[in-house]
Each structure stands twice: as C-alpha cells, then as structure tokens.
C-alpha cells in the first residue's frame, strides 16, 4: 500500500474529520435511549483507519482527542468529567484526552490490515468492534493510571474493586457502543470496499 494518500482517501479523511467535529459538538453524535447515552464518535475514527491505515486512524483519533479537550475547557460544550479532571491536573487531562484516542486510531489501522488478509468484509466489522472496545479500555486505563489516586477519583471508586468500578462506570453504554460501532463501521466499510476507497491485501487462498 502506498504511504501517500490518493485523492479519494484525502476526500474521505476530510469528510470523516468534518463528521467527527459535527458529531462531537451536536446531538448527532449521541443517541439517548432512556437512561443510556450512546456515542458514535469512534465510528469516523474506525472508518478513517479502514481507508487510510494507521496514519489515517491516528489523524482521526487526534481530532477526536481535540474535541474531548475542547469540551474539557468549555469550548463547544462542557464535559463535567473532563472539566473536573482538567482543574485537578491540566497536563494529565490533556494526556487523557489525546493518548487513548490516538492510540486507538493508530492500532485500528493495523488490526484492519491484519484481519483483511483473511476476509476483507469481516475485517470491517472486527475493526468497528475494536474501535469502541479499545477506546473504552485505553481511556479507563489512563483514567485510573493518571487520576486514580486523586481525592476525586477515590470518592468515585469508594473502596470498590477497580474492575467492578470500571464495569459500573462504563455501564451498559459501552456494550451498546461496541454493538453500534461494529454494525455501522462494518456496513460503511463494506460499501467503501466496493467503491474502491479501501485497498487491502487479497484474501488468502485456502
């Protein structure tokens, strides 16, 4: 695969970046079902990784991180968790906003490349699942690592086992986000494959 992006790929990256910004700062990025708030913001990151590989995923992940940082400082909306953590330690808060999302997007490119050697359509669905799963895993790991010993986080943990706290913190939302990311990314990726936006290794012969 060429390291340089072609016109189709650059156009798609621009569209995914614009979509990510739109979703992050409007209700379009969220689906409220009763008490659940499901976010679709990882999907443009996953699609970028499908079409442009690790670099595309990294760029889109950086944009996702930027939107989280802006909301933490009250630009384009307010994240209560983000703003609280920013007031505790701005540097750690910046790391929390960017690193998990950038690492997620970067690794998604390699996940898609690896699985696509076996089955390209299945790789789209696997990448969609990994996008939501890894984002949750990396964010929660960074949250515990960077802020776990602060008074604020200790109050939230309230003596619970860390694993139980994480499960309670992400709740059922994470499960629905993984399902939605898997289905939507898989469907969009399948269309992009047929349209020639995604170049992948050929499926291995049996």
């Amino acid at each position: 695969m060429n390291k340089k992006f072609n016109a189709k790929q650059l156009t798609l990256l621009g569209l995914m970046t614009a979509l990510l910004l739109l979703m992050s700062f409007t209700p379009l990025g969220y689906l409220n079902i009763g008490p659940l708030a499901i976010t679709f913001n990882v999907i443009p990151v996953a699609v970028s990784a499908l079409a442009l590989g690790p670099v595309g995923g990294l760029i889109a992940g950086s944009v996702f991180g930027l939107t989280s940082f802006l909301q933490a400082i009250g630009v384009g909306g307010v994240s209560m968790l983000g703003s609280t953590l920013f007031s505790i330690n701005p540097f750690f808060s910046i790391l929390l906003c960017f690193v998990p999302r950038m690492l997620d997007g970067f690794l998604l490119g390699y996940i898609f490349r690896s699985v696509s050697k076996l089955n390209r359509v299945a790789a789209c669905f696997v990448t969609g699942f990994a996008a939501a799963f890894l984002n949750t895993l990396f964010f929660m790991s960074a949250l515990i690592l960077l802020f776990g010993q602060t008074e604020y986080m200790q109050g939230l943990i309230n003596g619970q086992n860390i694993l139980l706290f994480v499960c309670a913190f992400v709740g059922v939302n994470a499960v629905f986000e993984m399902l939605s990311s898997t289905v939507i990314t898989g469907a969009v990726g399948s269309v992009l494959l047929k349209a020639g936006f995604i170049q992948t290794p050929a499926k291995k012969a049996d």
Side-chain angles (χ1 to χ4, degrees), residues 5-23:
F5 301 148
N6 58 39
K8 284 185 177 181
Q9 292 172 324
L10 286 174
T11 299
L12 181 63
L13 179 61
L15 289 173
M16 289 301 103
T17 299
L19 180 60
L20 183 54
L21 292 171
L22 179 65
M23 292 170 65

Side-chain angles (χ1 to χ4, degrees), residues 93-141:
S93 179
I94 292 172
L95 292 180
L96 181 64
C97 289
F98 282 94
V99 174
R101 280 63 185 261
M102 294 171 68
L103 184 60
D104 184 22
F106 183 72
L107 292 180
L108 291 178
Y110 285 108
I111 290 171
F112 176 70
R113 285 184 182 180
S114 298
V115 181
S116 64
K117 294 176 182 178
L118 303 175
N119 187 296
R120 290 176 286 182
V121 174
C124 297
F125 288 90
V126 171
T127 304
F129 171 80
F133 176 77
L134 292 179
N135 179 65
T136 300
L137 176 64
F138 293 155
F139 180 83
M140 291 306 300
S141 298

Side-chain angles (χ1 to χ4, degrees), residues 29-201:
Y30 303 89
L31 176 63
N32 295 310
I33 304 177
L36 298 178
I38 302 169
T39 178
F40 302 114
N41 292 342
V42 295
I43 296 174
V45 178
V47 173
S48 297
L50 297 181
L52 295 97
V55 175
L58 178 65
I59 294 172
S62 300
V63 175
F64 187 10
L66 177 61
T67 63
S68 298
F69 170 69
L70 291 175
Q71 290 175 342
I73 60 175
V75 177
V78 178
S79 166
M80 294 305 297
L81 176 64
S83 61
T84 300
L85 297 178
F86 187 81
S87 67
I88 295 172
N89 190 315
F91 178 70
F92 281 177
S93 179
I94 292 172
L95 292 180
L96 181 64
C97 289
F98 282 94
V99 174
R101 280 63 185 261
M102 294 171 68
L103 184 60
D104 184 22
F106 183 72
L107 292 180
L108 291 178
Y110 285 108
I111 290 171
F112 176 70
R113 285 184 182 180
S114 298
V115 181
S116 64
K117 294 176 182 178
L118 303 175
N119 187 296
R120 290 176 286 182
V121 174
C124 297
F125 288 90
V126 171
T127 304
F129 171 80
F133 176 77
L134 292 179
N135 179 65
T136 300
L137 176 64
F138 293 155
F139 180 83
M140 291 306 300
S141 298
L143 177 64
I144 298 300
L145 177 64
L146 297 174
F147 292 96
Q149 299 304 314
T150 63
E151 182 179 350
Y152 173 73
M153 286 301 300
Q154 285 298 311
L156 292 179
I157 295 172
N158 194 27
Q160 298 179 74
N161 175 276
I162 291 297
L163 182 58
L164 293 178
F165 164 73
V166 170
C167 291
F169 192 86
V170 300
V172 182
N173 301 40
V175 176
F176 280 90
E177 287 171 9
M178 291 174 200
L179 289 173
S180 62
S181 181
T182 300
V183 173
I184 297 175
T185 302
V188 172
S190 299
V191 172
L192 293 178
L193 278 170
K194 293 180 180 180
F197 278 87
I198 302 175
Q199 299 176 5
T200 64

